[in-house]
Amino acid sequence: MKIITWNINRAAYTRMNFWDYFNRLAFDVGLFQEVYMIPYKIRKNYHIVRGEMNAILLKKNPNMKKIEEESISYNTSEIDIIADFYVSVKIELNKKKIVFISVYNYIGPSEDEFSKFLDVMLSYIRNNRRHKIIIIGGDFNMDERFRGKYRGWGLLAEKMKKELYQLGYNEILSLKFGSKAFTFISPANKEPYQLDYLFIPRDIKINEIKVGSKDEIFNQKPRLSDHLPIIARIEL
């Protein structure tokens, strides 16, 4: 299974160079953020679950027996806090239940609001990981290397990675590239940061981990996105 997570930077319907590149990725599961309209030539090949600026695309597969949206909260009082941060879907494939969660920490929410969302997501994982394979990806818009006025976000990123590691997950890009991992270059200070993450349980075999080419994505006119995609091939 080929999985990708990518902030596609509000790609317009008319950005045909972007959608041609997108199509060539030939993924099985895509977790996408900053999503507007998706062209029919893409939609016709995928089941799509939409959220607020957030979408999961599942390649049509005759072995996929069931597809349904999945709520990560059982407490209705939490819905207003978390609903806009994620979209999720549960599938049944080869007699296994798999949940994909696409996260988008859009500009505006406070650290406290996003921290509450993370608490809900972590609670969902603790309560369900024995019965379902849960894979999480998206644009979390924070990096543990943040300093200055964004230091609080940096500490939250560090805490998130630590807690998911304790729950049996690896963040696969930093697993492969360590401190050199990045998906975004700040326009303010030109520093590279990893704002996007793909968390996969450690007991799943990963055959390939890579990040999209900076030349193919950033160094285009117009650029395809201001984020690089994370791509993984796994065995289920």
Coordinates of all heavy atoms in Angstrom, one line a residue, residues 119-184:
D119 N -5.1 15.5 22.5 CA -5.5 14.7 23.6 C -6.6 13.7 23.2 O -6.6 12.6 23.6 CB -5.9 15.6 24.8 CG -4.8 16.2 25.5 OD1 -3.6 15.8 25.3 OD2 -5.0 17.2 26.3
V120 N -7.6 14.3 22.5 CA -8.7 13.4 22.0 C -8.2 12.4 21.1 O -8.6 11.2 21.2 CB -9.8 14.3 21.3 CG1 -10.9 13.4 20.7 CG2 -10.5 15.2 22.4
M121 N -7.4 12.7 20.1 CA -6.8 11.7 19.2 C -6.0 10.7 19.9 O -6.2 9.5 19.6 CB -6.0 12.5 18.1 CG -5.5 11.5 17.0 SD -4.4 12.4 15.8 CE -2.9 12.5 16.7
L122 N -5.2 11.1 20.8 CA -4.4 10.1 21.6 C -5.3 9.1 22.4 O -5.0 7.9 22.5 CB -3.4 10.8 22.5 CG -2.3 11.5 21.7 CD1 -1.5 12.5 22.7 CD2 -1.3 10.5 21.1
S123 N -6.3 9.7 23.0 CA -7.3 8.8 23.7 C -7.9 7.8 22.8 O -8.1 6.6 23.1 CB -8.3 9.7 24.4 OG -9.3 8.9 25.1
Y124 N -8.3 8.3 21.6 CA -8.9 7.4 20.6 C -7.9 6.2 20.3 O -8.3 5.0 20.2 CB -9.3 8.1 19.4 CG -9.7 7.2 18.2 CD1 -11.0 6.7 18.1 CD2 -8.8 6.9 17.2 CE1 -11.4 5.9 17.1 CE2 -9.1 6.0 16.2 CZ -10.4 5.5 16.1 OH -10.8 4.7 15.1
I125 N -6.7 6.6 20.1 CA -5.7 5.5 19.7 C -5.5 4.5 20.9 O -5.5 3.3 20.6 CB -4.3 6.2 19.4 CG1 -4.5 7.0 18.1 CG2 -3.2 5.2 19.2 CD1 -3.3 7.9 17.8
R126 N -5.4 5.0 22.1 CA -5.3 4.1 23.2 C -6.4 3.1 23.3 O -6.2 2.0 23.6 CB -5.2 4.9 24.5 CG -3.9 5.7 24.7 CD -3.8 6.4 26.1 NE -2.8 7.4 26.1 CZ -3.0 8.7 26.0 NH1 -4.2 9.1 25.8 NH2 -2.0 9.5 26.0
N127 N -7.6 3.6 23.0 CA -8.8 2.8 23.2 C -9.1 1.8 22.0 O -9.9 0.9 22.1 CB -10.0 3.6 23.4 CG -10.0 4.4 24.7 OD1 -9.5 3.9 25.7 ND2 -10.6 5.6 24.7
N128 N -8.4 2.1 20.9 CA -8.7 1.3 19.7 C -7.5 0.6 19.0 O -7.8 -0.2 18.1 CB -9.3 2.3 18.6 CG -10.7 2.7 19.0 OD1 -11.7 2.0 18.8 ND2 -10.8 3.9 19.6
R129 N -6.3 0.8 19.5 CA -5.2 0.3 18.7 C -5.1 -1.3 18.7 O -4.4 -1.8 17.9 CB -3.9 0.9 19.2 CG -3.6 0.6 20.7 CD -2.4 1.4 21.2 NE -2.3 1.3 22.6 CZ -1.1 1.1 23.2 NH1 0.0 1.0 22.5 NH2 -1.1 1.1 24.5
R130 N -5.7 -1.9 19.7 CA -5.7 -3.4 19.7 C -6.6 -4.0 18.6 O -6.5 -5.2 18.3 CB -6.0 -3.9 21.1 CG -4.9 -3.6 22.1 CD -5.3 -4.3 23.4 NE -4.2 -4.1 24.4 CZ -4.1 -3.0 25.2 NH1 -5.0 -2.0 25.1 NH2 -3.1 -2.9 26.0
H131 N -7.6 -3.2 18.2 CA -8.6 -3.8 17.3 C -8.5 -3.2 15.9 O -9.1 -3.8 15.0 CB -10.0 -3.4 17.9 CG -10.2 -3.7 19.3 ND1 -10.1 -5.0 19.8 CD2 -10.3 -2.9 20.4 CE1 -10.3 -5.0 21.1 NE2 -10.4 -3.7 21.5
K132 N -7.8 -2.1 15.7 CA -7.7 -1.5 14.4 C -6.2 -1.0 14.2 O -5.5 -0.7 15.1 CB -8.6 -0.2 14.4 CG -10.1 -0.5 14.7 CD -10.8 0.8 14.9 CE -12.2 0.5 15.3 NZ -13.0 1.8 15.6
I133 N -5.9 -1.0 12.9 CA -4.6 -0.4 12.5 C -4.9 1.1 12.3 O -5.8 1.4 11.5 CB -4.0 -1.0 11.2 CG1 -3.7 -2.5 11.5 CG2 -2.8 -0.2 10.7 CD1 -3.4 -3.2 10.2
I134 N -4.2 2.0 13.0 CA -4.5 3.4 12.9 C -3.3 4.1 12.4 O -2.2 4.0 12.9 CB -4.9 4.0 14.3 CG1 -6.1 3.2 14.9 CG2 -5.2 5.5 14.2 CD1 -6.4 3.6 16.3
I135 N -3.5 4.9 11.3 CA -2.4 5.6 10.6 C -2.7 7.1 10.6 O -3.9 7.4 10.2 CB -2.1 5.0 9.2 CG1 -1.6 3.6 9.3 CG2 -1.1 5.9 8.4 CD1 -1.4 2.9 8.0
I136 N -1.8 7.9 11.0 CA -2.1 9.4 11.1 C -1.1 10.1 10.3 O 0.1 9.9 10.3 CB -1.9 9.8 12.6 CG1 -2.8 8.9 13.5 CG2 -2.4 11.3 12.8 CD1 -1.9 8.0 14.4
G137 N -1.6 11.1 9.6 CA -0.7 12.0 8.8 C -1.3 13.3 8.6 O -2.5 13.5 8.9
G138 N -0.5 14.3 8.2 CA -1.1 15.6 7.9 C -0.1 16.7 8.2 O 1.1 16.5 8.5
D139 N -0.6 17.9 8.0 CA 0.1 19.2 8.3 C -0.2 19.6 9.7 O -1.3 20.2 9.9 CB -0.3 20.2 7.2 CG 0.3 21.6 7.5 OD1 1.2 21.7 8.4 OD2 -0.1 22.6 6.8
F140 N 0.7 19.4 10.6 CA 0.5 19.7 12.0 C 1.0 21.2 12.3 O 0.8 21.7 13.4 CB 1.2 18.8 12.9 CG 0.6 17.4 12.9 CD1 0.7 16.5 11.9 CD2 -0.1 17.0 14.1 CE1 0.1 15.3 11.9 CE2 -0.7 15.7 14.1 CZ -0.6 14.8 13.0
N141 N 1.7 21.8 11.3 CA 2.0 23.2 11.4 C 2.9 23.5 12.6 O 2.8 24.6 13.2 CB 0.8 24.1 11.3 CG 1.1 25.4 10.6 OD1 2.1 25.5 9.9 ND2 0.2 26.4 10.8
M142 N 3.7 22.6 13.0 CA 4.6 22.8 14.2 C 5.8 21.9 14.1 O 5.8 20.8 13.5 CB 3.9 22.6 15.5 CG 3.3 21.2 15.7 SD 2.3 21.1 17.2 CE 1.9 19.4 17.3
D143 N 6.9 22.4 14.6 CA 8.2 21.6 14.6 C 8.9 21.8 15.9 O 8.9 23.0 16.5 CB 9.0 22.2 13.4 CG 10.4 21.4 13.2 OD1 11.1 21.3 14.2 OD2 10.6 21.1 12.1
E144 N 9.5 20.8 16.5 CA 10.1 20.9 17.8 C 11.3 21.8 17.8 O 11.8 22.2 18.8 CB 10.5 19.5 18.3 CG 11.4 18.7 17.4 CD 11.4 17.2 17.8 OE1 11.7 17.0 19.0 OE2 11.2 16.4 17.0
R145 N 11.8 22.2 16.6 CA 12.9 23.2 16.5 C 12.4 24.6 16.5 O 13.3 25.5 16.5 CB 13.6 22.9 15.1 CG 14.3 21.6 15.1 CD 14.8 21.3 13.7 NE 13.8 20.9 12.8 CZ 13.9 20.4 11.6 NH1 15.2 20.1 11.1 NH2 12.9 20.1 10.8
F146 N 11.1 24.9 16.6 CA 10.6 26.2 16.8 C 11.2 26.9 18.0 O 11.3 26.3 19.1 CB 9.1 26.2 16.8 CG 8.4 26.1 15.5 CD1 9.1 25.9 14.3 CD2 7.0 26.1 15.5 CE1 8.4 25.8 13.1 CE2 6.3 26.0 14.3 CZ 7.0 25.8 13.1
R147 N 11.5 28.2 17.9 CA 12.0 29.0 19.0 C 11.3 30.3 19.0 O 10.4 30.6 18.2 CB 13.5 29.2 18.8 CG 14.4 28.0 18.8 CD 14.5 27.4 20.1 NE 15.4 26.2 20.2 CZ 15.0 24.9 19.9 NH1 13.7 24.7 19.6 NH2 15.8 23.9 20.0
G148 N 11.7 31.1 20.0 CA 11.1 32.5 20.1 C 9.6 32.4 20.4 O 9.2 31.6 21.2
K149 N 8.8 33.2 19.7 CA 7.4 33.3 20.0 C 6.6 32.0 19.6 O 5.5 31.8 20.1 CB 6.8 34.5 19.3 CG 6.8 34.4 17.8 CD 6.1 35.7 17.2 CE 6.1 35.6 15.7 NZ 5.4 36.8 15.1
Y150 N 7.3 31.1 18.9 CA 6.7 29.8 18.5 C 7.2 28.7 19.3 O 6.9 27.5 19.0 CB 6.9 29.6 17.0 CG 6.3 30.6 16.1 CD1 7.1 31.4 15.3 CD2 4.9 30.8 16.0 CE1 6.6 32.4 14.5 CE2 4.4 31.7 15.2 CZ 5.2 32.5 14.4 OH 4.7 33.5 13.6
R151 N 7.9 29.0 20.4 CA 8.5 27.9 21.2 C 7.4 27.0 21.8 O 7.6 25.8 21.9 CB 9.3 28.5 22.3 CG 10.0 27.5 23.3 CD 10.9 26.6 22.5 NE 11.5 25.6 23.4 CZ 11.8 24.3 23.0 NH1 11.6 23.9 21.8 NH2 12.4 23.5 23.8
G152 N 6.3 27.6 22.2 CA 5.2 26.7 22.7 C 4.7 25.7 21.7 O 4.5 24.5 22.1
W153 N 4.7 26.0 20.4 CA 4.3 25.0 19.4 C 5.4 24.0 19.3 O 5.1 22.8 19.1 CB 4.1 25.7 18.1 CG 2.8 26.5 18.0 CD1 2.7 27.8 18.0 CD2 1.5 25.9 17.9 NE1 1.3 28.1 17.8 CE2 0.6 27.0 17.8 CE3 1.0 24.6 17.8 CZ2 -0.8 26.8 17.6 CZ3 -0.4 24.4 17.7 CH2 -1.2 25.5 17.6
G154 N 6.7 24.4 19.5 CA 7.8 23.5 19.4 C 7.7 22.4 20.5 O 7.9 21.2 20.3
L155 N 7.3 22.9 21.7 CA 7.2 22.0 22.8 C 6.0 21.0 22.6 O 6.1 19.9 23.0 CB 7.0 22.8 24.1 CG 8.2 23.6 24.6 CD1 7.9 24.5 25.7 CD2 9.4 22.7 25.0
L156 N 5.0 21.5 22.0 CA 3.8 20.7 21.8 C 4.1 19.6 20.7 O 3.7 18.4 20.9 CB 2.6 21.5 21.3 CG 1.3 20.8 21.1 CD1 0.8 20.1 22.4 CD2 0.2 21.8 20.6
A157 N 4.9 20.0 19.7 CA 5.4 19.0 18.7 C 6.2 17.9 19.4 O 6.1 16.7 19.1 CB 6.1 19.7 17.6
E158 N 7.1 18.3 20.2 CA 8.0 17.4 20.9 C 7.1 16.4 21.8 O 7.4 15.2 21.8 CB 9.0 18.1 21.8 CG 10.0 17.3 22.5 CD 10.9 18.1 23.3 OE1 10.9 19.4 23.3 OE2 11.8 17.5 24.0
K159 N 6.2 17.0 22.5 CA 5.3 16.2 23.4 C 4.5 15.2 22.5 O 4.3 14.0 22.9 CB 4.4 17.1 24.2 CG 3.3 16.4 25.1 CD 2.6 17.5 25.9 CE 1.5 16.8 26.8 NZ 0.3 16.5 26.0
M160 N 3.9 15.6 21.4 CA 3.1 14.8 20.5 C 3.9 13.6 20.0 O 3.5 12.4 20.1 CB 2.6 15.6 19.3 CG 1.9 14.8 18.3 SD 1.6 15.7 16.8 CE 3.3 15.9 16.1
K161 N 5.1 13.8 19.5 CA 6.0 12.8 19.0 C 6.3 11.8 20.1 O 6.3 10.5 19.9 CB 7.2 13.3 18.4 CG 6.9 14.1 17.1 CD 8.2 14.8 16.5 CE 9.1 13.8 15.9 NZ 10.2 14.4 15.2
K162 N 6.6 12.3 21.3 CA 7.0 11.4 22.4 C 5.8 10.5 22.8 O 6.0 9.3 23.0 CB 7.4 12.2 23.6 CG 7.8 11.4 24.8 CD 8.2 12.3 26.0 CE 8.6 11.5 27.2 NZ 9.0 12.4 28.3
E163 N 4.6 11.1 22.9 CA 3.4 10.3 23.3 C 3.1 9.3 22.2 O 2.7 8.1 22.6 CB 2.3 11.2 23.6 CG 2.5 12.1 24.9 CD 1.3 12.8 25.4 OE1 0.2 12.7 24.7 OE2 1.4 13.5 26.4
L164 N 3.1 9.6 21.0 CA 2.9 8.6 19.9 C 3.9 7.5 19.9 O 3.6 6.4 19.6 CB 2.7 9.3 18.6 CG 1.4 10.0 18.3 CD1 1.5 11.0 17.2 CD2 0.3 9.0 18.1
Y165 N 5.2 7.9 20.2 CA 6.2 6.9 20.2 C 5.9 5.9 21.4 O 6.0 4.7 21.2 CB 7.6 7.5 20.5 CG 8.7 6.5 20.4 CD1 9.3 6.1 19.2 CD2 9.2 6.0 21.6 CE1 10.3 5.1 19.2 CE2 10.2 5.0 21.6 CZ 10.8 4.6 20.4 OH 11.8 3.7 20.3
Q166 N 5.4 6.4 22.5 CA 5.1 5.5 23.6 C 3.9 4.6 23.3 O 3.7 3.5 23.9 CB 4.8 6.4 24.9 CG 6.0 7.0 25.4 CD 5.7 8.0 26.5 OE1 4.5 8.5 26.7 NE2 6.7 8.4 27.3
L167 N 3.0 5.1 22.3 CA 1.9 4.3 21.9 C 2.3 3.3 20.8 O 1.4 2.6 20.3 CB 0.8 5.2 21.5 CG 0.0 5.9 22.6 CD1 -0.9 6.9 22.0 CD2 -0.7 4.9 23.5
G168 N 3.6 3.2 20.5 CA 4.0 2.2 19.5 C 4.1 2.8 18.1 O 4.2 2.0 17.1
Y169 N 4.3 4.1 17.9 CA 4.4 4.7 16.6 C 5.8 5.2 16.3 O 6.5 5.6 17.2 CB 3.4 5.9 16.4 CG 2.0 5.5 16.2 CD1 1.2 5.1 17.3 CD2 1.4 5.4 15.0 CE1 -0.1 4.7 17.2 CE2 0.1 5.0 14.8 CZ -0.7 4.7 15.9 OH -2.0 4.3 15.7
N170 N 6.1 5.2 15.0 CA 7.3 5.9 14.5 C 6.8 7.0 13.6 O 5.8 6.8 12.8 CB 8.2 5.0 13.6 CG 9.1 4.2 14.5 OD1 9.6 4.7 15.6 ND2 9.4 3.0 14.1
E171 N 7.4 8.2 13.6 CA 7.2 9.2 12.6 C 8.2 8.9 11.5 O 9.4 9.1 11.7 CB 7.4 10.6 13.2 CG 6.8 11.7 12.4 CD 7.5 11.9 11.0 OE1 8.7 12.1 11.0 OE2 6.8 11.7 10.0
I172 N 7.7 8.5 10.4 CA 8.6 7.8 9.5 C 9.7 8.7 8.8 O 10.7 8.3 8.4 CB 7.8 7.0 8.4 CG1 7.0 7.9 7.5 CG2 6.9 6.0 9.1 CD1 6.6 7.2 6.2
L173 N 9.3 10.0 8.6 CA 10.3 10.9 7.9 C 11.5 11.1 8.8 O 12.6 11.0 8.4 CB 9.6 12.2 7.5 CG 10.4 13.0 6.4 CD1 10.6 12.2 5.1 CD2 9.8 14.3 6.2
S174 N 11.2 11.4 10.1 CA 12.4 11.7 11.0 C 13.0 10.3 11.3 O 14.2 10.3 11.7 CB 11.9 12.4 12.2 OG 10.8 11.8 12.8
L175 N 12.3 9.2 11.2 CA 12.9 7.9 11.4 C 14.0 7.7 10.4 O 15.1 7.2 10.7 CB 11.9 6.8 11.3 CG 12.4 5.4 11.3 CD1 12.9 5.0 12.7 CD2 11.3 4.4 10.9
K176 N 13.8 8.1 9.1 CA 14.8 7.9 8.1 C 15.8 9.0 8.0 O 17.0 8.7 7.9 CB 14.1 7.9 6.7 CG 15.0 7.6 5.6 CD 14.3 7.3 4.2 CE 15.4 7.1 3.1 NZ 14.7 6.7 1.9
F177 N 15.4 10.3 8.2 CA 16.3 11.4 8.0 C 16.8 12.1 9.2 O 17.6 13.0 9.2 CB 15.7 12.4 7.0 CG 15.4 11.9 5.7 CD1 14.1 11.6 5.3 CD2 16.4 11.7 4.7 CE1 13.9 11.1 4.0 CE2 16.2 11.2 3.5 CZ 14.9 10.9 3.1
G178 N 16.2 11.7 10.4 CA 16.6 12.3 11.6 C 16.4 13.8 11.7 O 15.4 14.3 11.2
S179 N 17.3 14.6 12.2 CA 17.2 16.0 12.3 C 17.2 16.7 11.0 O 16.9 17.9 10.9 CB 18.3 16.6 13.2 OG 19.6 16.4 12.7
K180 N 17.6 16.0 9.9 CA 17.6 16.6 8.6 C 16.3 16.6 7.9 O 16.1 17.1 6.8 CB 18.7 16.0 7.7 CG 20.1 16.2 8.2 CD 21.1 15.5 7.3 CE 22.5 15.7 7.8 NZ 23.5 15.0 6.9
A181 N 15.3 16.0 8.5 CA 13.9 15.9 7.9 C 13.3 17.2 7.8 O 13.3 18.0 8.7 CB 13.0 14.9 8.7
F182 N 12.7 17.5 6.6 CA 12.0 18.8 6.5 C 10.9 18.6 5.4 O 11.1 17.8 4.4 CB 12.9 20.0 6.2 CG 13.4 20.1 4.8 CD1 12.8 20.9 3.9 CD2 14.5 19.3 4.4 CE1 13.2 21.0 2.5 CE2 15.0 19.4 3.1 CZ 14.3 20.2 2.2
T183 N 9.9 19.4 5.5 CA 8.8 19.5 4.4 C 8.5 20.9 4.0 O 7.6 21.1 3.2 CB 7.6 18.7 4.9 OG1 7.1 19.4 6.1 CG2 7.8 17.3 5.2
F184 N 9.1 21.9 4.6 CA 8.7 23.3 4.4 C 9.9 24.1 4.7 O 10.7 23.8 5.5 CB 7.6 23.6 5.4 CG 7.1 25.0 5.4 CD1 6.1 25.3 4.5 CD2 7.6 26.0 6.2 CE1 5.6 26.6 4.4 CE2 7.1 27.3 6.2 CZ 6.1 27.6 5.3

